[in-house]
Amino acid sequence: MVKITGFATHDVRFPTSLTGDGTDAMNTDCDYSSAYVTLFTDSDLVGHGMTFTIGRGNDIVCTAIQEVSKRLVDKDVDELFLDMGKTWDYLMADPQLRWIGPEKGVIHIATGAVNNALWDMYARSRKKPLWKLIADFTPEELVRSATFRYISDVITKEEAIALVTAKQAGKAEREKTVREIGYPAYVTSAGWLGYSDEKIAQLTNEAVAGGFNHFKMKVGANQADDIRRGKLIRSIIDDPQYLPAGASQRDPYGEALKGKNAGPTGAVLMIDANQVWDVDQAIDYVKGLSEIKPWFIEEPTAPDDILGHAAIRKALKPHGIGVATGEHAHNRMVFKQFLQADAIDVAQIDSCRLAGVTEVLSVLLMAAKFGVLVCPHAGGVGLCEYVIHLSLIDYICISGSMERNVLEYVDHLHEHFVNPCSINAQGRYNVPVNPDEGYSIEMHKESIATYEWPNGSYWASRNAGN
């Protein structure tokens, strides 16, 4: 019998504000940060997890993680693993911690870090990467690992089991396929708002050469600038001369690109406002960007405004522009209402805005029932390492399709992880295969020692003026 004996947290911050990485119309000064936790046992088994912030406040999340982690001390790990849905409910059930949510805000993302660490431990204990652990579950085991509280009015456990059971046929073939070709990705790194036109052009060229054909840019600070930057990106991604040697143009009218406003080479452009507008502002502003032909506008308004997103989607539909959101949708109930209100074309789960893998499974099941694409958010530190597992679970076990899906890729800070994600020459995520990597979020000890706030060697030197 293995028991959890304790935990450690680390406030790790990277100085990305110095290079403009992560900048958008709402978030103009970002130091990508990890509120990081390790769960220890009375054996060699450990579990690593984290949630993502952009700097100040990361210490507050670490404090909340400590409070949530205390609920796991002295618990038998196999009993916890036996019913991860029940374990998640237990993590959420401290009445005093729940009061400062409930199921939202700092306490919720802290719980996400802890739940993710527990899933990492579970996968390590079975010598499988996380996606493979869950892909090998029976439908009943998978559904038992989700939570259904507050969403049973749209999907019951019985419906979920039937949905997953129906996807059992072809499951082995889907796993074989994605291992061979990888999971489709899109790139955001070229489109940060703080970049010069020269840097945007350089990074877009590099992305095209790297096999990407979906690209996202930030908008919302100045419409004329957005149009100029959008045309600049389009001039590169729509021109066959920039395609890598041997690459063929994709059919912009094919099923995989239908409704995505793809250009002549089959390239797709998406735009992201990061919540900067009111509803009517969003409608007017995005209509004015029609000439750059975006597939969707992401986060056009406040992330909790379900009916506002529905109004924006309805107004933009005649212009062929969809709506995507979810990066800041703080729980499964918000996603439930987005789906019920027909308010989004694309659901963008976040691996640690939601309270860990267990709640993510609940959203994947709902999205599959409603037939809505899931294209996870992955900007930041560690999120790309996380979400490739979630997209693989969705494809292999739940939705059964990746033809139209794309998973965000941002080329930042992967070197700090023991098992970093990687992209192949076709612009697709490689499938994690190391049996010892769990949820792929273990950070190098030297990275923690260097960037831990405020006494890591980098920050100590910078704060001393060196």
Side-chain angles (χ1 to χ4, degrees):
M1 184 170 66
V2 177
K3 287 189 175 184
I4 294 175
T5 57
F7 53 87
T9 60
H10 299 280
D11 177 354
V12 185
R13 308 185 191 187
F14 300 97
T16 51
S17 58
L18 298 179
T19 53
D21 299 342
T23 50
D24 55 59
M26 182 66 75
N27 306 295
T28 57
D29 187 23
C30 306
D31 282 329
Y32 279 174
S33 301
S34 168
Y36 187 83
V37 60
T38 299
L39 300 176
F40 301 106
T41 68
D42 53 9
S43 73
D44 293 335
L45 183 63
V46 298
H48 304 286
M50 59 151 280
T51 195
F52 167 67
T53 79
I54 59 171
R56 281 183 293 110
N58 205 51
D59 51 338
I60 300 172
V61 182
C62 286
T63 299
I65 288 171
Q66 292 167 19
E67 293 302 312
V68 175
S69 296
K70 289 176 183 177
R71 290 183 67 77
L72 295 179
V73 174
D74 292 330
K75 298 297 182 184
D76 177 81
V77 299
D78 282 320
E79 288 185 9
L80 295 171
F81 299 158
L82 186 63
D83 189 332
M84 287 293 279
K86 182 179 178 181
T87 296
W88 189 90
D89 289 340
Y90 170 74
L91 278 176
M92 304 302 298
D94 183 302
Q96 295 182 356
L97 295 182
R98 178 179 170 77
W99 183 264
I100 57 173
E103 299 194 36
K104 64 174 76 72
V106 170
I107 198 66
H108 205 61
I109 63 175
T111 304
V114 178
N115 183 251
N116 286 340
L118 196 59
W119 275 104
D120 178 67
M121 181 184 287
Y122 189 1
R124 288 168 181 268
S125 75
R126 302 305 191 259
K127 295 294 183 182
K128 297 177 182 181
L130 177 80
W131 70 266
K132 180 60 173 169
L133 172 78
I134 296 178
D136 288 345
F137 282 177
T138 65
E140 291 78 11
E141 287 171 329
L142 189 153
V143 171
R144 192 166 65 236
S145 299
T147 179
F148 289 84
R149 191 177 192 184
Y150 303 139
I151 63 169
S152 61
D153 53 323
V154 299
I155 189 167
T156 64
K157 288 183 180 180
E158 293 74 22
E159 286 179 301
I161 289 171
L163 187 155
V164 177
T165 300
K167 290 296 187 292
Q168 291 293 100
K171 183 176 165 183
E173 185 61 31
R174 290 194 295 275
E175 180 177 330
K176 180 175 182 289
T177 297
V178 75
R179 282 179 180 269
E180 291 173 352
I181 67 174
Y183 193 92
Y186 75 85
V187 65
T188 299
S189 299
W192 299 121
L193 206 59
Y195 286 175
S196 67
D197 285 4
E198 291 74 20
K199 187 168 184 177
I200 290 170
Q202 173 198 334
L203 293 174
T204 303
N205 270 297
E206 291 174 0
V208 172
F212 290 97
N213 71 333
H214 284 63
F215 308 81
K216 191 169 78 180
M217 60 174 276
K218 301 293 185 174
V219 298
N222 181 284
Q223 192 180 62
D225 286 345
D226 293 341
I227 293 172
R228 186 193 74 253
R229 291 163 57 246
K231 286 181 174 179
L232 172 61
I233 292 172
R234 275 287 185 196
S235 72
I236 298 168
I237 67 177
D238 289 345
D239 192 331
Q241 71 170 311
Y242 295 111
L243 292 174
S248 58
Q249 298 177 214
R250 300 181 70 195
D251 178 6
Y253 304 105
E255 189 60 33
L257 297 175
K258 186 178 179 180
K260 289 188 175 183
N261 282 329
T265 65
V268 177
L269 180 63
M270 300 96 85
I271 57 176
D272 183 358
N274 293 93
Q275 316 162 27
V276 76
W277 301 308
D278 282 358
V279 171
D280 290 339
Q281 284 180 303
I283 294 167
D284 291 341
Y285 197 108
V286 177
K287 284 180 180 178
L289 300 181
S290 296
E291 61 185 298
I292 62 173
K293 297 181 179 178
W295 169 23
F296 62 63
I297 173 64
E298 178 180 340
E299 283 199 317
T301 191
D304 304 334
D305 188 355
I306 289 95
L307 297 183
H309 278 82
I312 293 167
R313 182 173 184 260
K314 182 178 180 180
L316 294 180
K317 196 166 187 177
H319 300 268
I321 302 172
V323 170
T325 201
E327 170 184 346
H328 283 83
H330 46 241
N331 57 41
R332 64 206 176 281
M333 291 79 79
V334 175
F335 276 104
K336 178 184 79 169
Q337 292 176 58
F338 275 128
L339 295 167
Q340 287 174 313
D342 203 21
I344 52 174
D345 298 275
V346 176
Q348 294 175 305
I349 57 169
D350 183 275
S351 55
C352 45
R353 174 72 58 179
L354 293 170
V357 175
T358 294
E359 191 173 32
V360 167
L361 291 175
S362 304
V363 175
L364 294 179
L365 290 165
M366 287 191 292
K369 178 179 177 180
F370 280 82
V372 171
L373 283 180
V374 177
C375 299
H377 166 247
V381 56
L383 303 190
C384 293
E385 279 68 30
Y386 266 154
V387 294
I388 177 55
H389 291 268
L390 304 178
S391 286
L392 290 170
I393 294 163
D394 181 49
Y395 168 55
I396 295 169
C397 305
I398 299 175
S399 72
S401 174
M402 63 174 176
E403 184 179 23
R404 294 177 55 76
N405 301 64
V406 280
L407 169 55
E408 186 171 21
Y409 177 73
V410 178
D411 191 16
H412 301 311
L413 306 171
H414 303 298
E415 68 274 13
H416 297 291
F417 293 90
V418 175
N419 294 285
C421 68
S422 62
I423 298 289
N424 65 27
Q426 287 70 50
R428 290 172 172 260
Y429 275 85
N430 292 312
V431 172
V433 295
N434 183 346
D436 297 317
E437 71 181 274
Y439 202 1
S440 305
I441 208 66
E442 181 180 0
M443 197 176 285
H444 287 296
K445 289 181 173 61
E446 55 267 34
S447 294
I448 295 174
T450 301
Y451 292 103
E452 187 157 15
W453 176 267
N455 297 317
S457 58
Y458 172 84
W459 293 111
S461 176
R462 180 169 162 179
N463 292 338
N466 297 332

